[in-house]
DNA sequence: TCTATAATCGAAAACGATTTTCAACTAAAC
DNA sequence: GTTTAGTTGAAAATCGTTTTCGATTATAGA
């Protein structure tokens, strides 16, 4: 669990450590799936019942700035947050339980760059995300 | 310009052809970049000044149902619409002028499927988008 | 061409997610 | 301890989108 490191990083940026923040940080750091602000609020309130939804928004904003979480786009919505991977990685998401796993895709950069050339673009960045069914969810059928 | 075909398709689904709809359809059919509902409203009003924003929302909804347009996700927002490509294609978007170009990526399916296997996922779908700078915008510097 | 009718329209109200304001509270530096 | 700037949650404001509604109109059928 990396939530200790997250708190250290927040602290090192001059942010104070409060119970409200700790609850949000620990919720995000341990979640296997992307969470909306409302999700975070519901989950983190179990640890700190007085938590306000506003504080969830404010904390997620800081965590995103520090690259500790990233926004995840999905068919159902684009306002969910997930613990960030180290470096540049892509997501594989279970359409059933929403569990998210990171993978590398360095092998693709040449292909992307070729596509760019073909259309007279200089490719600077890309978004890649895979959707499927994880082993656990497959079994449940 | 495919806007005639779009109107035929709308008509064939039982929808009526109105000036308001024609303005939205023609705006979308000819745009080289993804447009937000507000963008569409601004542009289409030049052709039909009485156009209401509500009608833009309602028409985009129908066009999406008919797969004539698709929603495009970008850093700045996820509520922009673009003329749909034939079949399954991916987008290459200019970060400067927002011009969007489609490309195929059939070559990638094996890679995606392998990534899935490695993590015990059955991959069902994927989402890929490239960002860069187009030739025209490159020149302007 | 005329009529009947259900689809469509835009204005205004409602809605829901997010952001801002604000006065009370508190973590942390000294 | 005391001080103070950062943080809090409640409430109000904002903003994009959807719903409601009465007026208008495209279109099928006479
Ligand atoms: Mn990559
Ligand atoms: Mn593909
Ligand atoms: Zn799963
Ligand atoms: Zn999105």
């Amino acid at each position: 669990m990396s939530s200790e490191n997250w708190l250290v990083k927040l602290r090192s940026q001059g942010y104070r450590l409060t119970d409200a923040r700790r609850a949000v940080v620990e919720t995000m750091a341990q979640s296997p799936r992307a969470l909306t602000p409302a999700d975070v609020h519901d989950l983190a309130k179990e640890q700190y019942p007085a938590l306000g939804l506003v504080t969830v928004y404010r904390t997620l904003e800081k965590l995103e700035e520090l690259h500790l979480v990233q926004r995840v786009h999905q068919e159902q919505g684009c306002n969910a947050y997930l613990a960030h991977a180290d470096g540049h990685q892509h997501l594989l998401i279970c359409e059933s339980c929403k569990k998210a796993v990171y993978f590398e895709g360095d092998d693709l950069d040449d292909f992307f760059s070729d596509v760019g050339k073909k259309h007279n673009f200089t490719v600077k960045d890309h978004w890649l995300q895979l959707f499927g069914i994880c082993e656990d969810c497959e079994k449940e059928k």
Side-chain angles (χ1 to χ4, degrees), chain A:
Chain A
M1 168 157 21
S2 44
S3 83
E4 269 314 310
N5 296 329
W6 292 27
L7 294 171
V8 170
K9 197 156 182 181
L10 279 168
R11 194 74 264 284
S12 77
Q13 297 296 310
Y15 294 121
R16 293 185 181 170
L17 299 187
T18 66
D19 289 343
R21 260 171 204 170
R22 267 187 272 265
V24 171
V25 164
E26 281 161 28
T27 298
M28 285 307 305
Q30 70 168 51
S31 175
R33 65 181 181 90
L35 301 174
T36 63
D39 289 338
V40 176
H41 190 221
D42 289 344
L43 290 168
K45 268 202 296 193
E46 292 173 16
Q47 172 174 342
Y48 183 68
L51 180 65
L53 179 56
V54 202
T55 296
V56 173
Y57 277 99
R58 291 191 277 226
T59 305
L60 286 174
E61 188 179 13
K62 289 174 177 62
L63 295 178
E64 193 178 21
E65 278 169 20
L66 299 180
H67 301 288
L68 291 171
V69 302
Q70 72 169 107
R71 181 185 290 262
V72 175
H73 298 254
Q74 287 172 267
E75 202 60 61
Q76 315 99 291
C78 302
N79 54 336
Y81 292 84
L82 181 71
H84 203 294
D86 295 331
H88 173 91
Q89 297 200 239
H90 309 113
L91 281 173
L92 170 54
I93 298 174
C94 175
E95 286 177 331
S96 172
C97 69
K98 308 302 174 193
K99 178 172 55 192
V101 174
Y102 284 101
F103 68 91
E104 311 218 352
D106 310 323
D107 353 20
L108 299 175
D109 289 347
D110 285 342
F111 173 79
F112 294 159
S113 164
D114 284 350
V115 169
K117 270 187 198 117
K118 203 169 297 175
H119 296 276
N120 294 113
F121 272 65
T122 310
V123 173
K124 304 270 191 192
D125 195 9
H126 57 259
W127 285 1
L128 170 61
Q129 215 159 275
L130 307 186
F131 300 92
I133 303 291
C134 77
E135 198 175 26
D136 297 342
C137 290
E138 193 75 63
K139 279 178 187 161
E140 279 185 14
K141 291 189 302 193

